[in-house]
Amino acid sequence: MKFRHVRAIAVFGIAVVALTGARGSHGASCGGSSHSSSSSSGGSSSGGTSGSDSTSGTSSSSGGTTTTGGSSRDKAERDIKIDSCKLDGTGKNLVARLTVTNSGSVDYTYNVTMKFNPAAGSSAVAATARVNSLKVKAGASQQTEATAPYTGKGDGSEYKECVVSTASKSAL
């Protein structure tokens, strides 16, 4: 094989990797993987100047936090970390403790909807909680709680995960 053929194949291989955005073992996949919510997963906002972003897909089970789903242009979910999900001390409310971090240079108002999902095979019904109009200054973090009434009769153990089902932020 001639040197120019080897060089052409090498250039083609580099171009394929560069154009597909191959990243480690994830390849050029658009989804199907989990990331820590404290990491910033790729992408940028596409055109426009609306000043608001929304997303879905952060979940926590057994104390850990993972991010699934959402699109690369949606940024609000990346700012939310689920610290804990549990039944409160009174036994009457499911509580998701959240930390919202605004790493941007503009103050934002956040709206978050949490969903408490029951374990598979449980007779419990999913519960929903909201945080509305949470103002977070640029470069700051703020803790908040999303609370939903607990209608069960046990210790809340039938709820195995809580998930950010929607999140949005708007510039103040």
Side-chain angles (χ1 to χ4, degrees):
M1 191 183 264
K2 294 188 177 187
F3 180 70
R4 70 176 182 213
H5 292 116
V6 173
R7 185 174 55 188
I9 292 170
V11 169
F12 177 74
I14 292 170
V16 167
V17 170
L19 292 174
T20 60
R23 300 170 305 222
S25 63
H26 299 294
S29 171
C30 291
S33 63
S34 294
H35 302 282
S36 169
S37 65
S38 61
S39 71
S40 59
S41 54
S44 63
S45 181
S46 62
T49 56
S50 71
S52 90
D53 296 300
S54 66
T55 190
S56 62
T58 300
S59 67
S60 175
S61 59
S62 305
T65 303
T66 58
T67 302
T68 57
S71 76
S72 62
R73 71 176 200 181
D74 299 325
K75 297 178 181 179
E77 181 263 333
R78 286 190 256 165
D79 296 349
I80 301 167
K81 179 180 175 248
I82 301 172
D83 299 320
S84 66
C85 292
K86 59 185 176 183
L87 190 63
D88 71 1
T90 67
K92 295 182 180 181
N93 296 299
L94 296 166
V95 179
R97 186 154 183 78
L98 310 171
T99 301
V100 180
T101 302
N102 178 359
S103 57
S105 58
V106 177
D107 296 349
Y108 283 105
T109 299
Y110 289 83
N111 293 302
V112 182
T113 302
M114 297 295 299
K115 185 174 180 184
F116 295 86
N117 291 322
S122 171
S123 62
V125 177
T128 302
R130 289 182 177 77
V131 174
N132 293 316
S133 302
L134 177 68
K135 294 177 181 164
V136 183
K137 293 188 180 280
S141 292
Q142 187 167 340
Q143 288 189 324
T144 189
E145 292 181 344
T147 304
Y150 176 62
T151 57
K153 304 219 184 301
D155 62 358
S157 62
E158 66 271 29
Y159 290 93
K160 293 297 180 189
E161 79 174 343
C162 63
V163 178
V164 174
S165 60
T166 62
S168 65
K169 65 182 183 180
S170 300
L172 293 176

